[in-house]
Amino acid sequence: MSLTETLGVVVRALATQAGVEPAAIDTDKPLSAVPGIESVKALRAITEIEDECDVVIPDDFLFETASVRELAQFVASLAREGSSI
């Protein structure tokens, strides 16, 4: 899965859980800046991302993530390495 595809998955999952249009998500801002996102919604989005990309995202990574784009880059690297569920 390419970075562009992974970014699309991440943005879609976050937008769905936050109840906003994907265009409302600035990929260069942190997850906490997604309009309408709360911790429970963020965790649901992460579960969607893990399921769709067949990866496991370490819990501690979420606290270190600086931006939506960096989350997508991390997920894409996990998928390339075959770090699957």
Side-chain angles (χ1 to χ4, degrees), residues 6-22:
T6 306
L7 187 58
V9 169
V10 169
V11 168
R12 238 183 353 266
L14 289 168
T16 298
Q17 290 302 320
V20 299
E21 292 295 319

Side-chain angles (χ1 to χ4, degrees), residues 5-76:
E5 292 169 320
T6 306
L7 187 58
V9 169
V10 169
V11 168
R12 238 183 353 266
L14 289 168
T16 298
Q17 290 302 320
V20 299
E21 292 295 319
I25 296 177
D26 184 340
T27 59
D28 294 317
K29 291 196 176 177
L31 291 172
S32 60
V34 172
I37 203 72
E38 301 164 0
S39 59
V40 172
K41 292 177 180 180
L43 290 174
R44 286 183 189 143
I46 294 303
T47 300
E48 287 182 32
I49 295 163
E50 288 176 328
D51 290 347
E52 190 163 342
C53 297
D54 196 30
V55 298
V56 175
I57 302 168
D59 294 335
D60 61 340
F61 180 79
L62 298 177
F63 299 106
E64 299 168 6
T65 303
S67 72
V68 173
R69 183 177 307 280
E70 288 175 346
L71 173 59
Q73 289 169 331
F74 183 70
V75 171

